[in-house]
Amino acid sequence: MSQASTTRDEEKRLAALADLWLLDTPPESRFDLIVRLAATQFRTPVAFVNLVGRERLYSKSAFGFQPVNIARTESICAHAILQDDVFVVHDTLADERFRNLPLVKEGPKARFYAGAPLISHSGQRLGALCVIDNRPHERFSHRKRALLRDMAALVVEKFYLRRNELLNATVKQFANSTELACISVDAQARIEFINHSALGLFDCGLDDIVGRDLVTILPERAEPAALLAAGLASNSAHSKTFETVARKLDGRTFPAEISLSAWHGERGPAIGAIVRDISERQARDRSLVDLANRDPLTGLSNRRHFGALLDRALADDKGATVVLIDLDEFKEVNDILGHATGDELLQAFAARIPLFLPQGAVMARFGSDEFAILLPGLRDPLRAHAVADAVLKALDSPLNIGGHLLHIGASLGYAVMPGHGETAEEIIANADFALYRAKQAGGRTARIFQPEMRSESVSRRATQDELVRALRENELVLHYQPQVSLETGEICGMEALLRWQHPTRGLLYPDAFIAALETSPLASPVGWWVLDEVCRQLATWRQEGFQLVKAGVNLFPVQFRENTLVQSVVQRLYRYDLPPSLLELEVTEKIALSNDDQALTAMRSLQRLGVQIAFDDFGTGYASLSSLQRFPLNTLKIDRSFVRDMLTNAHDAAITRAVISMASDLGLETVAEGIELAEQAELLRKLGCKSGQGYMYGKPMPAEHLAKLLVRKAATHQAVVFSDRMHMGLH
Ligand code: C2E
Ligand code: MG
Ligand code: MG
């Protein structure tokens, strides 16, 4: 390529061609009118709009000859673009630069050439508009030059228009092929443009909607000034998004999300909106909220949701009642019948209870077997009690769980606002104190919150903390209460009873700490410590030469749940080398009636080994002799409430008589508890009771005191016989 035919800034020139989407493009009819006009105006047979690429010259339009695509070096236009003004070659044959060019010798046989450079807005020479004749022209007037220059300028304008048209077409194709529904409106919020997706979304044709107010489809938010402000405030780079209701042309509405953007167009401000139908998303959100608020097993509200509802009820200031429910035997159901049945039970419970609740009540499951009921607006304790009662009554008939008829009980605690707390947490916590009381009372009952429950609970917790220390510092001690034969007055056994030698409060009895202990994790270590201590004591006495009698040890329910019962007992008998018959395990109703097969098997094994088993406090609970038949027993301990009243209450005496005779029919020993008077002992003996225990024979006492009542093997076989005098001497 000759030096003369390249511009100074060739790369910028080519970039300008590319920017206008003209580089190496084919001819286009849109320029035909101009070349024809040029040819007629200048009376030449041929005219071209030619562009000069890096190597080639190519026509965008040609008149009187076919469009060319020739080497740049073989063109005259390549020279024309180096000029500031129109380039004229009057006779090509007279110019040796052109004389031998193919286009001169062949083709259009160009003798005359006049070309005006096509100059871009940025000053780059893109090509030339040229007219060509096959004969030489002597002159090309100034007027003609000016005309050709103007026509060239028109061609350049057309380049720019063409690019905009192409760009618009691209944008439109893009807009119509996207799934997004796009609408643009003018400053008066009249719809100017709407793409295919938007037509689909609003269920209409182009003619139905272009030119109409945006209000037609966005009834709530189409106030133009506000839209514009919102759109422009979003600075168009980040569109502003909001949710609203959109309306199809037939009037149906749907929830929509609108993303607005705004710009200043040539005709003033304009707004673009992308519209999304968010019905599905809202439905999904709703079900997520639902999921977050529901207990999956029962479909009831969960604790979180319950808290939120309670907050709302409190904000209403109309009062509310919170009832907490805990199933009484749920753990047993789970253990014995399996977790699947447990789950079914919870579901059945959750389905039944709401039927018994007043309108507006909300039931929730807090977890495991804990449920709660919110009664918004219920502020009357009597009515609250009636609801709690209704829940208890609802459980009168059994639940049918996979063929099992389950009679489940529940404990309820409730708190009533105003009065029982300010915040949701406080009210729930207070209802929980009441629930604890209901549990303590043996279940199947409801309790209302009372302020002192709070302080009791605090002291219970304090006691539990203190018990940790007590166990560590050996503050727990055992006292032993003698049991005597009612026939002979001889000592025939003893019961180990726990005491707490408190450093500041003195000697504490079980009623001060046993409830706290039983509900703490310490119950198990303390329980096993008692057993160990009793065995150790028996071994010590044996070593000291005393004739041993059986010792009763009270068990905590938790010791049965650990499934190491047999092992734990056998280990200690073995360690201290004691015959099993010296040990009498005392169980209460909680244990014996729990229907826990595991506990039952363990007790049977122990009994087979020779360990004695006594049923404690008979007559205070639900247990009847027949209900105890499944449970392995050797001894029945008649509760001291019977003994206390039998002298004055003929009914109690009759029951005691019946119990004793039935027990002996079943081969059970009977021990009467709480004998304080000789008359009681005498009556019991007459009724057939074999042995007794009570203050009359001796209060629970330290081991060294009890030792005095034991018989030394070495001594003569004289038995220690209790008399009133001796009793007085001991205390
Ligand atoms: P329990 O097993 O029924 O023990 C008998 C309770 O009756 C003892 O109360 C005893 O002091 C009391 N008592 C005995 N004779 C008379 C009497 O003539 N008149 C009166 N009014 N009371 C008499 P204590 O020692 O206060 O024990 C209360 C309960 O604490 C026991 O009842 C037992 O359930 C529990 N307990 C005591 N020690 C232990 C233990 O080491 N482990 C377990 N698991 N529980 C224990
Ligand atoms: Mg006992
Ligand atoms: Mg007892």
Side-chain angles (χ1 to χ4, degrees):
M1 197 185 306
S2 75
Q3 192 62 37
S5 64
T6 50
T7 54
R8 273 189 314 264
D9 237 338
E10 184 63 10
E11 292 308 320
K12 277 193 188 159
R13 201 183 67 75
L14 292 169
L17 272 172
D19 279 351
L20 284 167
W21 300 348
L22 287 169
L23 193 60
D24 298 328
T25 50
E28 286 175 47
S29 60
R30 70 174 84 217
F31 301 103
D32 289 354
L33 187 61
I34 291 195
V35 284
R36 198 170 72 224
L37 207 59
T40 17
Q41 280 297 311
F42 297 104
R43 297 173 201 281
T44 57
V46 174
F48 287 104
V49 166
N50 284 339
L51 295 176
V52 183
R54 189 185 288 279
E55 306 279 345
R56 313 281 297 172
L57 173 125
Y58 52 96
S59 301
K60 283 308 284 180
S61 179
F63 178 80
F65 198 72
Q66 75 264 33
V68 297
N69 190 329
I70 56 177
R72 185 171 171 175
T73 46
E74 292 181 345
S75 75
I76 306 177
C77 288
H79 292 262
I81 65 167
L82 300 176
Q83 312 296 316
D84 288 327
D85 198 2
V86 175
F87 181 57
V88 181
V89 182
H90 295 285
D91 186 354
T92 51
L93 293 184
D95 191 325
E96 61 181 53
R97 286 179 296 178
F98 307 122
R99 183 182 296 149
N100 294 317
L101 292 182
L103 89 126
V104 174
K105 295 170 89 174
E106 310 143 28
K109 294 222 185 299
R111 287 291 295 278
F112 169 76
Y113 174 97
L118 299 166
I119 303 173
S120 78
H121 291 170
S122 59
Q124 298 301 326
R125 314 302 167 80
L126 310 170
L129 167 67
C130 63
V131 288
I132 289 173
D133 203 345
N134 50 8
R135 49 188 187 81
H137 285 210
E138 271 172 25
R139 315 184 36 244
F140 198 68
S141 68
H142 281 296
R143 203 189 55 79
K144 283 185 173 168
R145 280 174 194 262
L147 185 59
L148 190 60
R149 219 177 350 198
D150 286 349
M151 290 177 112
L154 272 181
V155 172
V156 171
E157 281 318 303
K158 205 141 174 79
F159 285 163
Y160 283 93
L161 276 176
R162 167 188 170 275
R163 190 188 58 180
N164 277 351
E165 276 173 27
L166 294 180
L167 185 61
N168 275 344
T170 307
V171 170
K172 219 171 187 165
Q173 277 158 2
F174 176 48
N176 280 330
S177 63
T178 178
E179 281 179 16
L180 297 175
C182 306
I183 297 171
S184 81
V185 297
D186 62 15
Q188 281 71 48
R190 270 192 306 263
I191 296 167
E192 285 188 324
F193 169 78
I194 178 161
N195 71 351
H196 286 327
S197 291
L199 290 175
L201 184 61
F202 288 99
D203 228 354
C204 59
L206 206 56
D207 296 340
D208 305 332
I209 197 158
V210 169
R212 293 183 71 165
D213 265 341
L214 192 56
V215 157
T216 325
I217 53 173
L218 297 182
E220 279 185 2
R221 295 290 288 263
E223 221 254 291
L227 280 182
L228 205 60
L232 291 176
S234 71
N235 209 1
S236 87
H238 311 280
S239 52
K240 184 177 173 71
T241 301
F242 58 86
E243 290 182 10
T244 183
V245 173
R247 188 166 60 194
K248 300 184 192 242
L249 282 201
D250 65 6
R252 279 177 295 154
T253 58
F254 59 91
E257 183 191 81
I258 312 289
S259 297
L260 275 191
S261 50
W263 59 88
H264 284 286
E266 290 203 357
R267 296 182 308 112
I271 310 155
I274 293 176
V275 184
R276 286 189 188 84
D277 180 346
I278 52 171
S279 329
E280 268 179 35
R281 187 170 83 196
Q282 284 193 347
R284 197 174 57 233
D285 286 356
R286 267 197 302 275
S287 66
L288 276 179
V289 168
D290 220 42
L291 219 60
N293 285 338
R294 302 254 152 238
D295 165 51
L297 180 68
T298 59
L300 296 175
S301 288
N302 60 17
R303 189 185 192 118
R304 206 189 61 81
H305 190 222
F306 186 88
L309 294 177
L310 178 53
D311 279 339
R312 214 178 295 161
L314 293 180
D316 274 356
D317 228 19
K318 292 194 188 121
T321 291
V322 167
V323 184
L324 295 186
I325 309 174
D326 194 295
L327 301 188
D328 287 339
E329 292 96 10
F330 184 67
K331 206 196 154 302
E332 284 71 21
V333 172
N334 248 351
D335 287 353
I336 298 165
L337 300 174
H339 284 262
T341 309
D343 283 354
E344 274 183 65
L345 171 66
L346 294 172
Q347 285 166 335
F349 179 79
R352 178 181 289 183
I353 299 304
L355 305 177
F356 292 78
L357 299 177
Q359 192 75 31
V362 180
M363 184 159 162
R365 177 168 172 244
F366 278 10
S368 153
D369 61 338
E370 284 174 51
F371 294 85
I373 297 166
L374 172 63
L375 301 154
L378 200 160
R379 51 197 298 157
D380 171 9
L382 281 178
R383 285 186 49 218
H385 181 80
V387 172
D389 230 31
V391 173
L392 290 171
K393 289 240 166 60
L395 296 175
D396 276 353
S397 52
L399 294 163
N400 188 340
I401 311 295
H404 296 279
L405 282 183
L406 293 183
H407 242 301
I408 189 96
S411 304
L412 282 74
Y414 58 100
V416 183
M417 268 79 58
H420 293 167
E422 303 284 324
T423 64
E425 295 86 66
E426 217 180 323
I427 293 154
I428 292 174
N430 286 345
D432 204 30
F433 288 128
L435 172 63
Y436 179 82
R437 274 311 197 74
K439 280 253 163 237
Q440 284 297 105
R444 292 175 198 267
T445 184
R447 290 282 185 276
I448 186 168
F449 170 72
Q450 266 147 18
E452 58 270 20
M453 292 176 178
R454 197 167 250 284
S455 47
E456 278 163 23
S457 149
V458 169
S459 78
R460 189 167 58 239
R461 207 160 310 143
T463 308
Q464 287 184 350
D465 290 345
E466 271 201 295
L467 271 165
V468 175
R469 192 206 59 222
L471 187 63
R472 196 178 55 225
E473 306 286 327
N474 294 323
E475 291 169 17
L476 297 181
V477 291
L478 287 181
H479 280 189
Y480 296 86
Q481 185 175 33
Q483 294 169 339
V484 304
S485 155
L486 295 182
E487 288 295 338
T488 64
E490 281 171 33
I491 184 166
C492 61
M494 65 182 93
E495 179 178 3
L497 292 158
L498 195 55
R499 301 289 181 262
W500 180 359
Q501 190 62 61
H502 194 279
T504 54
R505 291 159 69 194
L507 189 67
L508 299 183
Y509 289 80
D511 57 356
F513 61 88
I514 212 93
L517 180 60
E518 225 172 23
T519 53
S520 94
L522 281 181
S524 162
V526 168
W528 297 124
W529 172 83
V530 170
L531 181 65
D532 202 82
E533 178 60 15
V534 168
C535 292
R536 191 196 59 75
Q537 186 61 60
L538 288 174
T540 308
W541 278 329
R542 181 182 51 201
Q543 214 172 4
E544 290 170 358
F546 290 110
Q547 190 150 3
L548 297 182
V549 292
K550 67 172 180 175
V553 172
N554 296 285
L555 291 176
F556 290 115
V558 62
Q559 292 175 282
F560 282 83
R561 280 186 233 128
E562 283 169 357
N563 100 48
T564 51
L565 186 69
V566 178
Q567 192 192 339
S568 299
V569 172
V570 169
Q571 243 172 23
R572 284 167 177 87
L573 292 174
Y574 184 76
R575 184 184 308 154
Y576 296 104
D577 191 20
L578 295 171
S581 57
L582 279 184
L583 188 61
E584 183 165 77
L585 300 177
E586 294 194 6
V587 299
T588 55
E589 183 167 295
K590 258 189 223 159
I591 296 164
L593 295 188
S594 78
N595 273 344
D596 181 343
D597 281 338
Q598 188 183 300
L600 203 62
T601 319
M603 292 313 272
R604 286 198 180 125
S605 319
L606 286 171
Q607 194 187 41
R608 237 176 283 126
L609 285 171
V611 174
Q612 306 283 298
I613 297 164
F615 186 85
D616 206 355
D617 303 338
F618 183 79
T620 54
Y622 299 100
S624 62
L625 269 178
S626 60
S627 69
L628 289 175
Q629 263 175 357
R630 242 161 69 86
F631 203 78
L633 286 179
N634 303 88
T635 309
L636 207 60
K637 296 189 75 176
I638 300 165
D639 192 69
R640 70 167 178 270
S641 53
F642 283 94
V643 176
R644 185 184 59 219
D645 297 336
M646 61 191 288
L647 289 182
T648 49
N649 186 329
H651 183 66
D652 273 11
I655 292 178
T656 311
R657 181 202 307 269
V659 166
I660 292 167
S661 86
M662 272 161 65
S664 96
D665 287 349
L666 292 169
L668 299 178
E669 289 286 325
T670 41
V671 179
E673 295 184 291
I675 302 177
E676 297 184 2
L677 305 169
E679 291 90 330
Q680 291 166 335
E682 181 53 22
L683 180 55
L684 283 161
R685 192 185 60 75
K686 279 198 196 140
L687 295 178
C689 182
K690 288 283 178 309
S691 45
Q693 165 183 356
Y695 291 174
M696 190 189 123
Y697 306 107
K699 287 189 168 175
M701 59 189 86
E704 58 271 27
H705 290 187
L706 189 107
K708 296 190 181 134
L709 308 178
L710 292 176
V711 183
R712 280 194 190 275
K713 271 188 195 158
T716 53
H717 285 288
Q718 186 198 345
V720 177
V721 177
F722 283 90
S723 67
D724 284 358
R725 207 160 7 101
M726 252 191 118
H727 165 229
M728 283 160 67
L730 278 167
H731 291 279

